[in-house]
C-alpha cells in the first residue's frame, strides 16, 4: 500500500498520523485528563497538515464509531450505564474539537468563508462536489483485500486472471492495492480464537475484550464502507452500500477505497494479539527473535511491490470507434453517461479524431452547460446537444449500470420513444443515436432547483376548473411503498369518503393510513393517519388533518384550514401566506387525476402540509404502456420536479407518475428519486380487485 500510494499521492502514504490519533484516543479513554485531551486534539489536527484530508474524514467516522461502540458495549456487555464521567467527557471532547479546529480551519479558510458568508462566484462551492460516477472506479471490491497486488513479481500472476471481474474490478493502480496479507490475517484469526477460548474459560481481561471486539467492528464497518455505492445483481435489483449515503452528505469525497488503510490498521492490531499469543509460547528471547525475523521476512515477501514495467498493447480498437472514424466530415459526438470516467473516452479520440462534448472543466461556462444535459432522458437535453452541433450520442450501456447518470439508479436510459433521438446503430456495449431535435439554446434552460423565478408560481386557480372528480364514495386503493424498487418499506391505504358540508361548500373526505413493514417496525414505529377535505368543484383542499408519531418523537396532531380565496392558511392560530389553489399532500394526487391530460401540457401544483410551501412542476409526456405484475395497461405518464420554497428554492426530488388511461385516471405507479435514494409506490389493489 505504501509503495503504490507513493506513485501518485505521497500524502496518503502517511498513515502514521491516523495511528497517532487512534492511540491518543484510546489513551484519553483510559486516562481522562486535560493533557491527554490536548494531545488528542493535536494529533487530529496534524492529520490534515501532514497527511491528507481523506484521513481526517475517516478519523471523524472512526471517532463516531468508537463513541457509539463504547456506549453499546457498556450497556450490553457490562450491563450498566455509567454517568459519573459524563460532564467531564463532554468537556474533554470540546477541548479536542477546539484544538483540532484551530489547526484545520486556516487550511480550509477560503472554503469555510464562502460556505458561511456566501460567494459571488457560484462555482466556488460547487467545485468541491465530485461526480458520483467516480465513486465506482475509486471504490474497493472484496477481492482487492484478499488477493496480492498485481505488481507483486511472483504472486501477482494469481491476481491478473481476475482483474476486470465483478469481485475485483478494474486495476486502477494504487487505489486497488489493498491486500491485507495471508500472514496478518492468519495471526488475526489466531488472536480472535485465543480471545474466544479465554472468554469461554472465564480468564479474559476486560480491556482485551473491549479492544478485540472494537477492532473487529472497525474492520467490518470500514471494509463495507469502502465498497461501491451499490451492488448490482440484475438491472432491477440493487443493494445500496454506506458510501452511497455518505456521498449524499459529503459529496466532496469520492474515493472510498482509501478506507482500506483503516481496514489494514484494524488487521494489524488484531494480528498483534495473535502474534503475542504465539510468542508467549516460547520461553526464550532468542527463539522469539528467530520467529519474529521469519514472520517479518515472510510479510516483506508477501507485500513485495514493484512498479509496472510491462508493455500493454493498445492495438485493439472497439468496433464503435472504428465505425465513427469512417464517418465523413466534421462530426461532434457526446458519450453518455457524461459523468463517467473520461480517460477512456479521450484515449480513443486519437482514433476517430472527432470533436467531443465530454470533458468540460469545473468552473467554466462549458461545465455549467454540461449540468443541463447530464440526464439524457430529459426533454431539453436533445435540443441543447443539437444547439451545440452534436450529431451522434453514444450510450455506453455497461457504464450506466455503475453510474448515476440515468433517471433510475443503475438503469440504462430508454430512448426508444424519445422524440429527440433516432437509433442509428447498435454495438455490443454501445447504442448510437442520431440527434433529430430542434436546437435549443442552453441559456433558456435552467438547472433544476436553480434560478427559479417566484413569479412563475402565481397561478390563477380558475385554470383548474376544467377537470372533474370521478371517484366514488367507498373506493379504496392500496399502495406498496418500496425502497430501491426491492425493499418493501410500508403500505399506504387511501379511501374515498362521502360528501360533507364544510363552510357552505361540499367536499369529499379523503383518508390515508400508513402501515410500516413488520420487520422495520421492530426498530422504528411510525403511525400516520391523514384526512383531506377536497372541494370537488374548485378542485382544491379545504382542510387537512394529520395525526402522526414516530418512535421517540412527540405526537403530531394538527389541523390545517385553507382559505383559497384569500390565499392564506390557518394552522395553530397562525396564518401563513400560500399560493393560489394550494393542495395538501393527499389531495394533490386527486387534483392531478381531476385534470384534463394532453401531451405536452404543463401543470403546476402548489403544496403546503401546514408549515412550508412546496411546488410540483409537472409535464404530461404522453401515453405509455406500463407493465405491473405481468399485466400491461395504457397510462398517462407525467414527469415532475419537486421543490421546497423555503430560504430560497431547493429541489427535493424527481417524480414520475403513471395515471391509468380512464376517466378516473387512478395513479397506479409513482417513482421518486430523492437524495436518500429511489422510492416507489405501486398500486396493489383497487376498488375492482387486484391490479
Amino acid at each position: 500500500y505504501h509503495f503504490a500510494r507513493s506513485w501518485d499521492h505521497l500524502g496518503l502514504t502517511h498513515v502514521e498520523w491516523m495511528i497517532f490519533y487512534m492511540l491518543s484516543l484510546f489513551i484519553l479513554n483510559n486516562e481522562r485528563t486535560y493533557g491527554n485531551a490536548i494531545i488528542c486534539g493535536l494529533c487530529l489536527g496534524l492529520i490534515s497538515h501532514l497527511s491528507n484530508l481523506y484521513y481526517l474524514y475517516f478519523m471523524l467516522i472512526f471517532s463516531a464509531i468508537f463513541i457509539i461502540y463504547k456506549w453499546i458495549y457498556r450497556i450490553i456487555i457490562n450491563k450498566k450505564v455509567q454517568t459519573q464521567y459524563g460532564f467531564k467527557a463532554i468537556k474533554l471532547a470540546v477541548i479536542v474539537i477546539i484544538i483540532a479546529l484551530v489547526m484545520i480551519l486556516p487550511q480550509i479558510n477560503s472554503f469555510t468563508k464562502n460556505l458561511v458568508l456566501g460567494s459571488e462566484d457560484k462555482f466556488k462551492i460547487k467545485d468541491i462536489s465530485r461526480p458520483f460516477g467516480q465513486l465506482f472506479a475509486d471504490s474497493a471490491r472484496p477481492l482487492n483485500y484478499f488477493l496480492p497486488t498485481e505488481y507483486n513479481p511472483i504472486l501477482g500472476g494469481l491476481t491478473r486472471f481476475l482483474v476486470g471481474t465483478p469481485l475485483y474490478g478494474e486495476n486502477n493502480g494504487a487505489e486497488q492495492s489493498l491486500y491485507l496479507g495471508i500472514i496478518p490475517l492468519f495471526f488475526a484469526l489466531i488472536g480472535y480464537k485465543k480471545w474466544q477460548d479465554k472468554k469461554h474459560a472465564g480468564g479474559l481481561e476486560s480491556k482485551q475484550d473491549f479492544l478485540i471486539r472494537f477492532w473487529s467492528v472497525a474492520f467490518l464497518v470500514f471494509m463495507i464502507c469502502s465498497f461501491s455505492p451499490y451492488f448490482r445483481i440484475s438491472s432491477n435489483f440493487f443493494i445500496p452500500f454506506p458510501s452511497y449515503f455518505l456521498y449524499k452528505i459529503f459529496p466532496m469525497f469520492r474515493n472510498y477505497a482509501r478506507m482500506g488503510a483503516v481496514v489494514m490498521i484494524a488487521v494489524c492490531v488484531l494480528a498483534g494479539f495473535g502474534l503475542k499469543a504465539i510468542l508467549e509460547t516460547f520461553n526464550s528471547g532468542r527463539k522469539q527473535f528467530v520467529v519474529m525475523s521469519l514472520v517479518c521476512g515472510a510479510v516483506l515477501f508477501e507485500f513485495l511491490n514493484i512498479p509496472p514495467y510491462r508493455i500493454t498493447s493498445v492495438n485493439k480498437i472497439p468496433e464503435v470507434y472504428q465505425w465513427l472514424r469512417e464517418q465523413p466530415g466534421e462530426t461532434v459526438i457526446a458519450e453518455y453517461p457524461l459523468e463517467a470516467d473520461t480517460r477512456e473516452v479521450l484515449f480513443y479520440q486519437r482514433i476517430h479524431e472527432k470533436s467531443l462534448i465530454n470533458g468540460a472543466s469545473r468552473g467554466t461556462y462549458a461545465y455549467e452547460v454540461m449540468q443541463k444535459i447530464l440526464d439524457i432522458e430529459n426533454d431539453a437535453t436533445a435540443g441543447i446537444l443539437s444547439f451545440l452541433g452534436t450529431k451522434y450520442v453514444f450510450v455506453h450501456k455497461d457504464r450506466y449500470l455503475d453510474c448515476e447518470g440515468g433517471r433510475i439508479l443503475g438503469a440504462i436510459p430508454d430512448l426508444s420513444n424519445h422524440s429527440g433521438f433516432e437509433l442509428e446503430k447498435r454495438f455490443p456495449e454501445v447504442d448510437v443515436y442520431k440527434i433529430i431535435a430542434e436546437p435549443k439554446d442552453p441559456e433558456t434552460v435552467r438547472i433544476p432547483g436553480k434560478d427559479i423565478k417566484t413569479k412563475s408560481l402565481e397561478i390563477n386557480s380558475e385554470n383548474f376548473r376544467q377537470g372533474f372528480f370521478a371517484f366514488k364514495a367507498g373506493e379504496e386503493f392500496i399502495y406498496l411503498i418500496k425502497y430501491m424498487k426491492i425493499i418493501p418499506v410500508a403500505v399506504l391505504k387511501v379511501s374515498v369518503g362521502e360528501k360533507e358540508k364544510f363552510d357552505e361548500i361540499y367536499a369529499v373526505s379523503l383518508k390515508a393510513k400508513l402501515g410500516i413493514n413488520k420487520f422495520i417496525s421492530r426498530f422504528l414505529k411510525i403511525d400516520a393517519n391523514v384526512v383531506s377535505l377536497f372541494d370537488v368543484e374548485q378542485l382544491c383542499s379545504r382542510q387537512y388533518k394529520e395525526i402522526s408519531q414516530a418512535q421517540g418523537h412527540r405526537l403530531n396532531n394538527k389541523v390545517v384550514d385553507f382559505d383559497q380565496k384569500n390565499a392564506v392558511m390557518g394552522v395553530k392560530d397562525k396564518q401563513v401566506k400560500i399560493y393560489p389553489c394550494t393542495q395538501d399532500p393527499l389531495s394533490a394526487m386527486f387534483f392531478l387525476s381531476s385534470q384534463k391530460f394532453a401531451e405536452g401540457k404543463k401543470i403546476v401544483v402548489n403544496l403546503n402540509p401546514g408549515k412550508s410551501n412546496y411546488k410540483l412542476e409537472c409535464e404530461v409526456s404522453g401515453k405509455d404502456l406500463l407493465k405491473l405484475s405481468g399485466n400491461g395497461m395504457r397510462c398517462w405518464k407525467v414527469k415532475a420536479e419537486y421543490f421546497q420554497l423555503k430560504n430560497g428554492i431547493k429541489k427535493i426530488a424527481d417524480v414520475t407518475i403513471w395515471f391509468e388511461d380512464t376517466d378516473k385516471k387512478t395513479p397506479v405507479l409513482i417513482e421518486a428519486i430523492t437524495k436518500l435514494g429511489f422510492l416507489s409506490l405501486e398500486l396493489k389493489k383497487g376498488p375492482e380487485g387486484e391490479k
Side-chain angles (χ1 to χ4, degrees), residues 368-440:
E368 183 181 0
V369 173
M370 192 181 82
Q371 302 310 298
K372 301 180 181 183
I373 56 174
L374 290 176
D375 180 5
I376 195 172
E377 295 177 274
N378 190 287
D379 295 334
T381 298
I384 296 176
L385 288 171
S386 178
F387 180 88
L388 297 174
T390 314
K391 185 176 182 179
Y392 296 116
V393 164
F394 286 12
V395 178
H396 292 267
K397 294 173 284 188
D398 56 334
R399 295 178 192 171
Y400 265 105
L401 297 176
D402 292 324
C403 187
E404 199 182 35
R407 279 189 177 274
I408 300 175
L409 185 66
I412 301 170
D414 182 12
L415 301 180
S416 56
N417 296 319
H418 199 294
S419 59
F421 300 99
E422 182 180 85
L423 182 64
E424 180 76 13
K425 200 170 180 65
R426 288 191 189 276
F427 295 90
E429 301 295 341
V430 181
D431 287 343
V432 179
Y433 289 90
K434 188 175 183 178
I435 296 176
I436 57 175
E438 292 295 323
K440 190 178 185 69

Side-chain angles (χ1 to χ4, degrees), residues 9-203:
H9 296 99
L10 194 60
L12 290 169
T13 64
H14 292 290
V15 298
E16 68 273 13
W17 298 106
M18 284 196 293
I19 297 171
F20 282 136
Y21 170 69
M22 291 172 176
L23 182 60
S24 68
L25 183 64
F26 281 102
I27 292 173
L28 178 61
N29 179 58
N30 294 331
E31 301 176 22
R32 302 186 179 192
T33 66
Y34 294 111
N36 286 339
I38 293 171
I39 293 173
C40 190
L42 289 171
C43 289
L44 184 60
L46 284 171
I47 295 173
S48 65
H49 287 279
L50 301 177
S51 184
N52 191 278
L53 287 173
Y54 267 92
Y55 289 164
L56 176 66
Y57 171 47
F58 297 161
M59 287 303 94
L60 295 177
I61 297 175
F62 181 89
S63 303
I65 294 171
F66 179 80
I67 293 169
I68 294 170
Y69 168 81
K70 185 177 178 183
W71 179 72
I72 294 174
Y73 184 88
R74 182 175 290 167
I75 294 175
I76 296 178
I77 306 300
N78 291 344
K79 300 187 184 303
K80 62 181 180 180
V81 179
Q82 195 173 1
T83 57
Q84 62 193 66
Y85 298 115
F87 183 65
K88 186 174 183 180
I90 293 173
K91 288 195 294 183
L92 294 174
V94 170
I95 291 173
V96 173
I97 294 170
I98 290 175
I99 292 174
L101 283 176
V102 169
M103 298 178 67
I104 296 167
L105 284 178
Q107 191 177 9
I108 57 174
N109 177 55
S110 59
F111 164 70
T112 307
K113 188 190 300 182
N114 290 330
L115 192 64
V116 175
L117 303 177
S119 171
E120 295 180 0
D121 186 349
K122 58 185 174 182
F123 290 107
K124 278 189 176 180
I125 299 301
K126 195 171 184 178
D127 275 351
I128 67 169
S129 299
R130 314 306 294 168
F132 178 80
Q134 294 181 2
L135 266 71
F136 293 91
D138 296 331
S139 295
R141 302 291 177 95
L143 290 182
N144 297 155
Y145 288 107
F146 303 107
L147 289 179
T149 175
E150 185 185 358
Y151 307 123
N152 186 301
I154 299 173
L155 302 176
L158 300 172
T159 304
R160 293 185 195 114
F161 293 106
L162 293 165
V163 172
T165 61
L167 292 178
Y168 191 90
E170 297 297 328
N171 181 18
N172 290 326
E175 306 300 351
Q176 271 64 45
S177 296
L178 303 173
Y179 181 49
L180 297 174
I182 298 299
I183 296 171
L185 286 172
F186 171 74
F187 284 117
L189 289 173
I190 289 179
Y192 188 84
K193 179 68 168 56
K194 293 290 184 182
W195 165 66
Q196 289 281 5
D197 293 342
K198 287 185 178 180
K199 187 173 67 170
H200 293 312

Side-chain angles (χ1 to χ4, degrees), residues 97-333:
I97 294 170
I98 290 175
I99 292 174
L101 283 176
V102 169
M103 298 178 67
I104 296 167
L105 284 178
Q107 191 177 9
I108 57 174
N109 177 55
S110 59
F111 164 70
T112 307
K113 188 190 300 182
N114 290 330
L115 192 64
V116 175
L117 303 177
S119 171
E120 295 180 0
D121 186 349
K122 58 185 174 182
F123 290 107
K124 278 189 176 180
I125 299 301
K126 195 171 184 178
D127 275 351
I128 67 169
S129 299
R130 314 306 294 168
F132 178 80
Q134 294 181 2
L135 266 71
F136 293 91
D138 296 331
S139 295
R141 302 291 177 95
L143 290 182
N144 297 155
Y145 288 107
F146 303 107
L147 289 179
T149 175
E150 185 185 358
Y151 307 123
N152 186 301
I154 299 173
L155 302 176
L158 300 172
T159 304
R160 293 185 195 114
F161 293 106
L162 293 165
V163 172
T165 61
L167 292 178
Y168 191 90
E170 297 297 328
N171 181 18
N172 290 326
E175 306 300 351
Q176 271 64 45
S177 296
L178 303 173
Y179 181 49
L180 297 174
I182 298 299
I183 296 171
L185 286 172
F186 171 74
F187 284 117
L189 289 173
I190 289 179
Y192 188 84
K193 179 68 168 56
K194 293 290 184 182
W195 165 66
Q196 289 281 5
D197 293 342
K198 287 185 178 180
K199 187 173 67 170
H200 293 312
L204 185 66
E205 298 178 6
S206 60
K207 181 180 179 181
Q208 185 177 352
D209 181 65
F210 177 87
L211 290 173
I212 290 181
R213 287 177 186 269
F214 170 76
W215 285 106
S216 299
V217 170
F219 169 82
L220 291 172
V221 170
F222 277 92
M223 179 179 283
I224 293 171
C225 287
S226 72
F227 292 152
S228 297
Y230 59 79
F231 177 66
R232 173 176 56 85
I233 296 177
S234 67
S235 59
N236 290 315
F237 192 86
F238 301 92
I239 301 174
F241 277 87
S243 61
Y244 175 82
F245 303 100
L246 288 171
Y247 173 79
K248 299 297 180 182
I249 304 171
F250 306 106
M252 65 287 292
F253 295 104
R254 66 180 175 186
N255 197 316
Y256 284 90
R258 294 170 184 172
M259 279 190 170
V262 185
V263 179
M264 292 176 201
I265 293 171
V267 171
C268 287
V269 175
L270 293 172
F273 284 105
L275 184 59
K276 176 176 180 288
I278 288 178
L279 291 176
E280 287 176 345
T281 62
F282 297 95
N283 54 11
S284 75
R286 180 176 297 178
K287 291 180 180 179
Q288 291 178 345
F289 177 78
V290 171
V291 172
M292 278 298 301
S293 299
L294 291 173
V295 169
C296 289
V299 169
L300 287 173
F301 168 76
E302 191 178 17
F303 285 92
L304 187 61
N305 200 344
I306 297 177
Y309 58 86
R310 298 185 315 278
I311 298 174
T312 304
S313 173
V314 294
N315 293 329
K316 188 177 180 181
I317 302 169
E319 189 180 352
V320 65
Y321 294 119
Q322 292 177 341
W323 171 83
L324 182 60
R325 180 172 58 184
E326 297 168 0
Q327 302 309 303
E330 294 291 331
T331 303
V332 180
I333 66 167

